[in-house]
Amino acid sequence: MRIAFLDSGLGGLTVLKEAMDRLPHERFVYFADTLHVPYGTKPKEEVKQYIFRAVETLLAYDIKALVIACNTATSIAVEDLRAAYGFPIVGMEPAVKPAVAKAASAHKRVLVTATPLTLREAKFQELVAKVDEEHLVDSLPLPELVQFCEELQFDDEVILPYLEQKLAPYDMRQYGSLVLGCTHFPFYREHFRKLIPGHVEVMDGSFGTIKRLQQVLGEAGAIKERGESELIWVTSGGKPEEARSLEKAFHFLQTK
Ligand code: DGL
């Protein structure tokens, strides 16, 4: 049986990489919704339909667990998906809690970056309300970064001026942590690093999500302990160049 990963596009690869490092004998299927990417700038109900369609497609791949490797999809659909399907479903959420804990102890602020849809969802607002008693959290939508990633655009000359302009209103010396609350954004970790002071911790949710996946599979006695790992690409557009693009982006991640 396989572990399924689902994202609007290339972003979930940052989570898949963590999973393949930590679960080296598993069979994986990665779904990119190439027909509908990006999710983060579309209306919630529309995106929810795409997500359910994607999961229906994944059912054909004999799956034992699903990782929603997308903060946006998790925030709008994880509860409904869990109610609809019997297999374990692990989602993602912006790492606000550890970021606040870290920043507060140093009397600093937290900047959460994500898609516009994630940031305006109740799930995110509730998470912040729960952990941010001192009102330390600011949020910054970066939808263009998703587009750049989908175009495999990683050039400093393009990305640095874009991020510089977006970060300009924030005095980053006042911040203790920067949250990458969209799975596309860890592709740009080094770009962020070049623009922010060394003391600012850059956090994403991949590690926590995969730890949770290991725990869930472990409890079900469903971890594959030996044998070759396997990875297949599935895209909603179904074009060979889409799979090639996934391959290329994954290779980029593995070599950087
Ligand atoms: N990778 C996604 C996330 O984590 C969604 C990006 C998008 O499609 O807008 O939020």
Side-chain angles (χ1 to χ4, degrees), residues 111 113 140 142 160-172 178 191-192 195-196:
L111 186 60
T113 61
L140 171 64
L142 294 173
L160 291 177
Y162 165 75
L163 286 180
E164 205 162 21
Q165 185 223 333
K166 290 289 180 177
L167 293 171
Y170 305 90
D171 175 1
M172 290 308 293
L178 173 77
H191 296 88
F192 280 105
L195 297 172
I196 59 175

Side-chain angles (χ1 to χ4, degrees), residues 65-102:
L66 169 67
V67 177
I68 312 174
C70 174
N71 293 265
T72 310
T74 301
S75 69
I76 62 174
V78 72
E79 268 105 35
D80 293 349
L81 287 170
R82 287 198 180 116
Y85 298 102
F87 43 78
I89 299 180
V90 180
M92 312 254 344
E93 71 179 14
V96 179
K97 198 174 168 188
V100 168
K102 164 93 178 48

Side-chain angles (χ1 to χ4, degrees), residues 30-104:
Y30 183 95
F31 180 95
D33 198 354
T34 43
L35 286 180
H36 306 117
V37 64
Y39 284 170
T41 49
K42 296 194 169 79
K44 171 179 174 169
E45 288 311 316
E46 180 185 335
V47 176
K48 209 185 237 187
Q49 281 182 20
Y50 299 148
I51 296 165
F52 269 84
R53 242 182 271 166
V55 176
E56 286 300 311
T57 304
L58 282 166
L59 294 182
Y61 292 86
D62 190 24
I63 69 178
K64 62 180 176 184
L66 169 67
V67 177
I68 312 174
C70 174
N71 293 265
T72 310
T74 301
S75 69
I76 62 174
V78 72
E79 268 105 35
D80 293 349
L81 287 170
R82 287 198 180 116
Y85 298 102
F87 43 78
I89 299 180
V90 180
M92 312 254 344
E93 71 179 14
V96 179
K97 198 174 168 188
V100 168
K102 164 93 178 48

Side-chain angles (χ1 to χ4, degrees), residues 42 115 136 141 153 172 231:
K42 296 194 169 79
T115 68
L136 300 173
Q153 175 55 268
M172 290 308 293
L231 170 60

Side-chain angles (χ1 to χ4, degrees), residues 28-230:
F28 295 94
V29 52
Y30 183 95
F31 180 95
D33 198 354
T34 43
L35 286 180
H36 306 117
V37 64
Y39 284 170
T41 49
K42 296 194 169 79
K44 171 179 174 169
E45 288 311 316
E46 180 185 335
V47 176
K48 209 185 237 187
Q49 281 182 20
Y50 299 148
I51 296 165
F52 269 84
R53 242 182 271 166
V55 176
E56 286 300 311
T57 304
L58 282 166
L59 294 182
Y61 292 86
D62 190 24
I63 69 178
K64 62 180 176 184
L66 169 67
V67 177
I68 312 174
C70 174
N71 293 265
T72 310
T74 301
S75 69
I76 62 174
V78 72
E79 268 105 35
D80 293 349
L81 287 170
R82 287 198 180 116
Y85 298 102
F87 43 78
I89 299 180
V90 180
M92 312 254 344
E93 71 179 14
V96 179
K97 198 174 168 188
V100 168
K102 164 93 178 48
S105 64
H107 305 290
K108 301 276 187 197
R109 301 190 62 77
V110 175
L111 186 60
V112 181
T113 61
T115 68
L117 187 47
T118 298
L119 295 175
R120 64 167 192 266
E121 264 309 289
K123 202 166 167 35
F124 177 73
Q125 307 288 342
E126 283 159 19
L127 174 67
V128 173
K130 203 162 80 190
V131 301
D132 186 24
E133 282 164 19
E134 293 176 58
H135 304 290
L136 300 173
V137 174
D138 297 312
S139 56
L140 171 64
L142 294 173
E144 297 84 0
L145 212 47
V146 175
Q147 291 292 23
F148 283 138
C149 183
E150 291 299 318
E151 293 159 13
L152 301 177
Q153 175 55 268
F154 304 114
D155 293 346
D156 280 8
E157 297 72 34
V158 177
I159 303 303
L160 291 177
Y162 165 75
L163 286 180
E164 205 162 21
Q165 185 223 333
K166 290 289 180 177
L167 293 171
Y170 305 90
D171 175 1
M172 290 308 293
R173 288 168 304 183
Q174 309 289 331
Y175 287 79
S177 21
L178 173 77
V179 177
L180 305 180
C182 167
T183 54
H184 283 74
F185 297 175
F187 274 98
Y188 299 101
R189 187 183 288 271
E190 277 76 47
H191 296 88
F192 280 105
R193 273 262 71 106
K194 283 185 187 160
L195 297 172
I196 59 175
H199 74 268
V200 181
E201 189 164 340
V202 181
M203 298 181 168
D204 71 68
S206 303
F207 178 75
T209 296
I210 299 311
K211 228 171 97 186
R212 177 80 192 125
L213 172 67
Q214 280 183 300
Q215 187 188 359
V216 165
L217 289 175
E219 281 163 10
I223 295 185
K224 196 164 162 274
E225 304 283 1
R226 58 191 135 275
E228 292 276 294
S229 100
E230 178 197 290

